[in-house]
Amino acid sequence: DESLFEALTLFCGLGIFNVVNFERLLKANSAQKVVLEILSYHASASKDEVAIIERKEIPSAEDLNILSYDFADHTLDRDQTVLATVRMFMDLDLVNKFRIDHQTLIRWSITVRKNYRDVMYHNWRHGFNVAQMMFAMLTSGQMANQFSDLETLALLVGSLCHDIDHRGTTNQFQALSNSPLANLYSTSFMEYHHFNHFQTISNVDGNNIFKSMSETDYKALMDLIKQVILATDLAMYFRQKLTFKNLAEEESTNWGEPDNKALLRSMMITGCDLSAITKPWEVQRMVAEKIASEFFNQGDIERDKYGKPPLKMMDRSKRDELPKIQMEFIDNVCMELYESLEKANPLFRPLLDGCLSNRRNWMNQAERRTSFADISSANVTLTHSSISTRCDDPEDGAAATSENVSPPFSLSHVGLMRRN
């Protein structure tokens, strides 16, 4: 009996060992497929590309308009977005504090740009816009005073790289299609991939903007950046939003407490990621069309290749319901977020006002039964002059929401600055 038991134990042990090794082999194979796919698609910045940017003067933040919550990237060409990225690092004093080499920062910024795929919405422009909104929160929103230098660097870098190598499809699609990413990670497939890909390109020769940091600071920074990028998974936002709402409504909340501060960082990056919903109407309308088009492409594949009826927001046959879908998105996702952010820091009020303004605009479109084709035809090339003033849908004759923005608050009146 003892011999039989020993044999059975050995058999079970070998079985468990083989299962574990098979899972490791499967993950390694998936990782290899992802790497090969990346290598076949991406490239690093060339010497010529770096030299072109180096020869250009870096405009001020004011000239670039990157201090504004109403910023629209259409005023900048591709090279100017790189110059603006360098300006953000400079004005937050990250270049000096972390001894970042100027040429390395340019090369890294161009490489990040090149490693965003040319998809309809989740491309370099989106990553840059999210970073710009984070920059505005840290400067115009005075949030740089709330965070350490490492946290500030993590927020800016994480914002810029949060969707790097995005394929224009969701986490749910990765699972449906049994993609290598779905086999490689257990959850938040795309977000883990964005973080790991950011690390990969940052460690390439000539791209390491973190090379002057101590090993301890580097490890802490990577942990912070990982938290920032993973927080862009809306599933995490839904798990945390009630806790954040309760903290924001409590005047005695100490935002310097580590858990509270981590939650605040997560909500800020979510607010930046969704900030197109707060932009002037012309910008919001065009971005909504791009997001919808990307979603429709995914929905077509789900229906045609996998025989799965797509969600309403991804169903091309329901494209004329875009105004209603946008209103539902604002009501179910965005409004509570920006209300809580404004309670935490009244300097974020323009974001809430923009969200409210665009809800009214989408409601007007829904009442007029505006078709998707009509929305598309209205999206003309934006100029700086056409978006410099935030206003409701001009056809509605509503007043500009900028008149309703609360006056600036001093630090002594901002709830976020309460510390023990």
Side-chain angles (χ1 to χ4, degrees):
D1 288 345
E2 289 180 355
S3 298
L4 181 62
F5 181 77
E6 287 177 357
L8 179 61
T9 302
L10 180 61
F11 178 80
C12 291
L14 288 172
I16 293 172
F17 178 79
N18 288 333
V19 168
V20 171
N21 277 346
F22 178 77
E23 289 179 349
R24 287 175 179 170
L25 180 63
L26 182 62
K27 286 195 173 185
N29 186 48
S30 295
Q32 183 185 38
K33 288 181 180 178
V34 171
V35 170
L36 290 174
E37 185 183 1
I38 291 170
L39 290 176
S40 68
Y41 186 89
H42 296 303
S44 295
S46 68
K47 291 182 180 179
D48 289 343
E49 289 173 314
V50 174
I52 289 172
I53 299 297
E54 278 189 299
R55 289 194 294 267
K56 295 186 177 183
E57 181 180 352
I58 301 174
S60 68
E62 289 78 11
D63 288 342
L64 292 164
N65 198 37
I66 56 176
L67 294 166
S68 173
Y69 294 124
D70 285 352
F71 169 82
D73 69 283
H74 307 89
T75 61
L76 306 181
D77 62 29
R78 282 172 57 81
D79 285 349
Q80 286 174 322
T81 60
V82 174
L83 293 171
T85 298
V86 175
R87 171 54 65 188
M88 293 180 211
F89 278 85
M90 293 172 63
D91 282 12
L92 289 170
D93 203 26
L94 300 173
V95 172
N96 291 326
K97 289 176 178 176
F98 295 101
R99 302 189 303 280
I100 301 175
D101 177 72
H102 181 68
Q103 186 182 82
T104 302
L105 178 57
I106 291 175
R107 183 181 295 108
W108 179 84
S109 300
I110 296 172
T111 301
V112 171
R113 183 185 72 185
K114 295 185 76 169
N115 279 265
Y116 270 89
R117 299 195 181 202
D118 190 22
V119 294
M120 182 62 71
Y121 176 68
H122 289 97
N123 50 42
W124 159 249
R125 292 277 176 173
H126 170 65
F128 173 75
N129 278 320
V130 172
Q132 181 278 325
M133 181 57 75
M134 181 61 73
F135 177 75
M137 284 186 169
L138 292 168
T139 53
S140 301
Q142 301 181 14
M143 290 302 301
N145 299 324
Q146 178 68 19
F147 299 114
S148 68
D149 294 337
L150 272 180
E151 288 171 318
T152 299
L153 180 60
L155 286 166
L156 185 60
V157 171
S159 299
L160 198 68
C161 300
H162 81 283
D163 269 337
I164 198 165
D165 195 47
H166 200 290
R167 288 93 192 280
T169 51
T170 64
N171 283 328
Q172 290 74 18
F173 183 83
Q174 306 310 315
L176 175 67
S177 61
N178 194 31
S179 74
L181 292 178
N183 292 320
L184 187 58
Y185 308 111
S186 60
T187 185
S188 300
F189 314 128
M190 293 304 302
E191 288 74 24
Y192 272 104
H193 174 61
H194 300 323
F195 172 70
N196 287 330
H197 188 56
F198 144 73
Q199 283 192 305
T200 298
I201 65 171
S202 296
N203 287 323
V204 171
D205 238 6
N207 281 348
N208 192 354
I209 61 174
F210 315 113
K211 62 183 178 182
S212 297
M213 299 177 66
S214 68
E215 185 178 344
T216 301
D217 282 349
Y218 177 78
K219 184 179 183 304
L221 178 66
M222 291 302 108
D223 288 342
L224 287 168
I225 294 174
K226 184 177 183 179
Q227 292 171 22
V228 169
I229 293 178
L230 291 182
T232 61
D233 185 350
L234 279 180
M236 183 175 293
Y237 163 69
F238 285 117
R239 289 195 296 269
Q240 297 179 327
K241 69 173 186 174
L242 182 58
T243 301
F244 182 64
K245 178 182 179 181
N246 292 337
L247 286 172
E249 291 177 347
E250 179 56 58
E251 291 186 4
S252 62
T253 294
N254 173 21
W255 292 106
E257 194 276 324
D259 288 343
N260 293 346
K261 190 188 277 192
L263 180 59
L264 176 60
R265 292 194 303 267
S266 294
M267 292 298 156
M268 283 177 59
I269 183 61
T270 302
C272 293
D273 197 14
L274 304 181
S275 62
I277 206 73
T278 73
K279 296 289 186 175
W281 173 236
E282 295 90 342
V283 179
Q284 158 57 195
R285 185 178 57 201
M286 186 168 69
V287 170
E289 180 197 355
K290 290 183 177 181
I291 297 173
S293 296
E294 189 174 282
F295 280 171
F296 293 157
N297 289 340
Q298 175 176 322
D300 292 344
I301 299 173
E302 289 179 349
R303 180 192 293 108
D304 299 340
K305 186 173 181 179
Y306 298 105
K308 179 181 180 294
L311 298 173
K312 181 170 68 173
M313 65 181 179
M314 297 184 178
D315 190 344
R316 192 179 300 274
S317 68
K318 293 181 171 57
R319 59 187 176 275
D320 289 341
E321 295 183 32
L322 179 61
K324 183 180 177 182
I325 292 171
Q326 286 295 102
M327 290 169 60
E328 292 172 352
F329 178 65
I330 291 172
D331 292 343
N332 297 329
V333 180
C334 305
M335 193 64 70
E336 187 174 334
L337 170 62
Y338 292 112
E339 286 174 346
S340 295
L341 283 171
E342 190 272 339
K343 285 185 174 70
N345 183 354
L347 292 174
F348 292 156
R349 178 71 198 190
L351 300 178
L352 177 57
D353 285 339
C355 187
L356 289 165
S357 173
N358 283 320
R359 193 196 186 283
R360 290 192 295 270
N361 291 331
W362 286 117
M363 183 171 65
N364 292 336
Q365 297 294 312
E367 290 173 348
R368 296 178 191 138
R369 299 182 181 277
T370 305
S371 69
F372 185 77
D374 288 338
I375 293 172
S376 298
S377 64
N379 289 333
V380 296
T381 302
L382 299 178
T383 62
H384 183 72
S385 60
S386 70
I387 59 172
S388 59
T389 302
R390 177 189 294 282
C391 60
D392 286 332
D393 184 351
E395 293 181 29
D396 186 48
T401 59
S402 57
E403 297 176 1
N404 301 320
V405 175
S406 303
F409 286 76
S410 66
L411 283 181
S412 61
H413 292 97
V414 177
L416 275 168
M417 303 307 151
R418 295 190 296 270
R419 302 195 195 192
N420 289 337

mmCIF file of all heavy atoms in Angstrom, residues 24 107 125 130 144 192 204-205 273 305 398 413:
data_model
loop_
_atom_site.group_PDB
_atom_site.id
_atom_site.type_symbol
_atom_site.label_atom_id
_atom_site.label_comp_id
_atom_site.label_asym_id
_atom_site.label_seq_id
_atom_site.Cartn_x
_atom_site.Cartn_y
_atom_site.Cartn_z
ATOM 1 N N ARG A 24 3.820 27.413 -18.980
ATOM 2 C CA ARG A 24 4.968 28.301 -19.206
ATOM 3 C C ARG A 24 5.364 28.308 -20.676
ATOM 4 O O ARG A 24 5.692 29.359 -21.239
ATOM 5 C CB ARG A 24 6.151 27.838 -18.348
ATOM 6 C CG ARG A 24 5.985 28.121 -16.857
ATOM 7 C CD ARG A 24 7.135 27.532 -16.059
ATOM 8 N NE ARG A 24 7.009 27.824 -14.637
ATOM 9 C CZ ARG A 24 7.765 27.266 -13.688
ATOM 10 N NH1 ARG A 24 8.704 26.385 -14.034
ATOM 11 N NH2 ARG A 24 7.592 27.596 -12.426
ATOM 12 N N ARG A 107 15.100 61.292 -29.099
ATOM 13 C CA ARG A 107 15.064 59.968 -29.738
ATOM 14 C C ARG A 107 13.971 59.101 -29.115
ATOM 15 O O ARG A 107 13.220 58.416 -29.822
ATOM 16 C CB ARG A 107 16.420 59.285 -29.618
ATOM 17 C CG ARG A 107 16.477 57.929 -30.337
ATOM 18 C CD ARG A 107 17.828 57.262 -30.183
ATOM 19 N NE ARG A 107 18.881 58.031 -30.846
ATOM 20 C CZ ARG A 107 19.819 58.739 -30.200
ATOM 21 N NH1 ARG A 107 19.821 58.752 -28.873
ATOM 22 N NH2 ARG A 107 20.718 59.408 -30.872
ATOM 23 N N ARG A 125 -1.533 60.391 -31.799
ATOM 24 C CA ARG A 125 -2.238 61.617 -31.440
ATOM 25 C C ARG A 125 -3.014 61.448 -30.130
ATOM 26 O O ARG A 125 -3.063 62.350 -29.303
ATOM 27 C CB ARG A 125 -3.186 62.028 -32.567
ATOM 28 C CG ARG A 125 -2.488 62.479 -33.848
ATOM 29 C CD ARG A 125 -2.065 63.924 -33.769
ATOM 30 N NE ARG A 125 -1.326 64.357 -34.937
ATOM 31 C CZ ARG A 125 -0.966 65.622 -35.152
ATOM 32 N NH1 ARG A 125 -1.292 66.554 -34.278
ATOM 33 N NH2 ARG A 125 -0.272 65.950 -36.217
ATOM 34 N N VAL A 130 -3.446 62.633 -24.343
ATOM 35 C CA VAL A 130 -3.592 62.220 -22.950
ATOM 36 C C VAL A 130 -2.444 62.790 -22.114
ATOM 37 O O VAL A 130 -2.642 63.272 -20.991
ATOM 38 C CB VAL A 130 -3.650 60.682 -22.848
ATOM 39 C CG1 VAL A 130 -3.614 60.224 -21.393
ATOM 40 C CG2 VAL A 130 -4.918 60.166 -23.520
ATOM 41 N N ALA A 144 1.213 69.270 -9.645
ATOM 42 C CA ALA A 144 2.619 68.924 -9.469
ATOM 43 C C ALA A 144 3.049 69.141 -8.024
ATOM 44 O O ALA A 144 3.976 68.489 -7.541
ATOM 45 C CB ALA A 144 3.489 69.737 -10.424
ATOM 46 N N TYR A 192 -1.266 45.575 -19.952
ATOM 47 C CA TYR A 192 0.009 44.926 -19.626
ATOM 48 C C TYR A 192 0.958 44.977 -20.826
ATOM 49 O O TYR A 192 2.173 45.178 -20.680
ATOM 50 C CB TYR A 192 -0.220 43.476 -19.193
ATOM 51 C CG TYR A 192 -0.481 43.326 -17.709
ATOM 52 C CD1 TYR A 192 -1.764 43.086 -17.230
ATOM 53 C CD2 TYR A 192 0.557 43.442 -16.787
ATOM 54 C CE1 TYR A 192 -2.017 42.958 -15.865
ATOM 55 C CE2 TYR A 192 0.320 43.308 -15.416
ATOM 56 C CZ TYR A 192 -0.973 43.064 -14.961
ATOM 57 O OH TYR A 192 -1.207 42.942 -13.623
ATOM 58 N N VAL A 204 16.123 50.119 -25.283
ATOM 59 C CA VAL A 204 16.915 50.058 -26.513
ATOM 60 C C VAL A 204 18.044 51.087 -26.432
ATOM 61 O O VAL A 204 17.880 52.177 -25.882
ATOM 62 C CB VAL A 204 16.019 50.329 -27.742
ATOM 63 C CG1 VAL A 204 16.857 50.489 -29.008
ATOM 64 C CG2 VAL A 204 15.011 49.204 -27.913
ATOM 65 N N ASP A 205 19.185 50.743 -26.982
ATOM 66 C CA ASP A 205 20.338 51.643 -26.972
ATOM 67 C C ASP A 205 19.970 53.020 -27.506
ATOM 68 O O ASP A 205 19.400 53.148 -28.588
ATOM 69 C CB ASP A 205 21.443 51.058 -27.864
ATOM 70 C CG ASP A 205 22.726 50.859 -27.090
ATOM 71 O OD1 ASP A 205 22.714 51.064 -25.880
ATOM 72 O OD2 ASP A 205 23.734 50.490 -27.728
ATOM 73 N N ASP A 273 -7.464 60.123 -20.079
ATOM 74 C CA ASP A 273 -7.739 59.174 -21.158
ATOM 75 C C ASP A 273 -9.092 59.441 -21.820
ATOM 76 O O ASP A 273 -9.254 59.273 -23.027
ATOM 77 C CB ASP A 273 -7.705 57.749 -20.588
ATOM 78 C CG ASP A 273 -7.568 56.678 -21.656
ATOM 79 O OD1 ASP A 273 -7.232 57.012 -22.804
ATOM 80 O OD2 ASP A 273 -7.793 55.499 -21.328
ATOM 81 N N LYS A 305 -16.313 37.367 -38.839
ATOM 82 C CA LYS A 305 -15.314 36.305 -38.651
ATOM 83 C C LYS A 305 -15.673 35.350 -37.521
ATOM 84 O O LYS A 305 -15.406 34.148 -37.618
ATOM 85 C CB LYS A 305 -13.941 36.927 -38.394
ATOM 86 C CG LYS A 305 -12.814 35.906 -38.330
ATOM 87 C CD LYS A 305 -11.452 36.587 -38.239
ATOM 88 C CE LYS A 305 -10.316 35.567 -38.209
ATOM 89 N NZ LYS A 305 -8.985 36.208 -38.150
ATOM 90 N N ALA A 398 -26.658 78.253 -27.637
ATOM 91 C CA ALA A 398 -26.375 78.288 -26.207
ATOM 92 C C ALA A 398 -25.144 79.122 -25.931
ATOM 93 O O ALA A 398 -24.284 79.314 -26.771
ATOM 94 C CB ALA A 398 -26.175 76.863 -25.684
ATOM 95 N N HIS A 413 -7.356 77.018 -0.867
ATOM 96 C CA HIS A 413 -8.748 76.643 -1.021
ATOM 97 C C HIS A 413 -8.926 75.333 -1.788
ATOM 98 O O HIS A 413 -10.030 74.894 -1.999
ATOM 99 C CB HIS A 413 -9.517 77.756 -1.751
ATOM 100 C CG HIS A 413 -9.661 79.008 -0.938
ATOM 101 N ND1 HIS A 413 -8.812 80.053 -1.103
ATOM 102 C CD2 HIS A 413 -10.520 79.334 0.059
ATOM 103 C CE1 HIS A 413 -9.151 81.030 -0.263
ATOM 104 N NE2 HIS A 413 -10.169 80.628 0.461
#
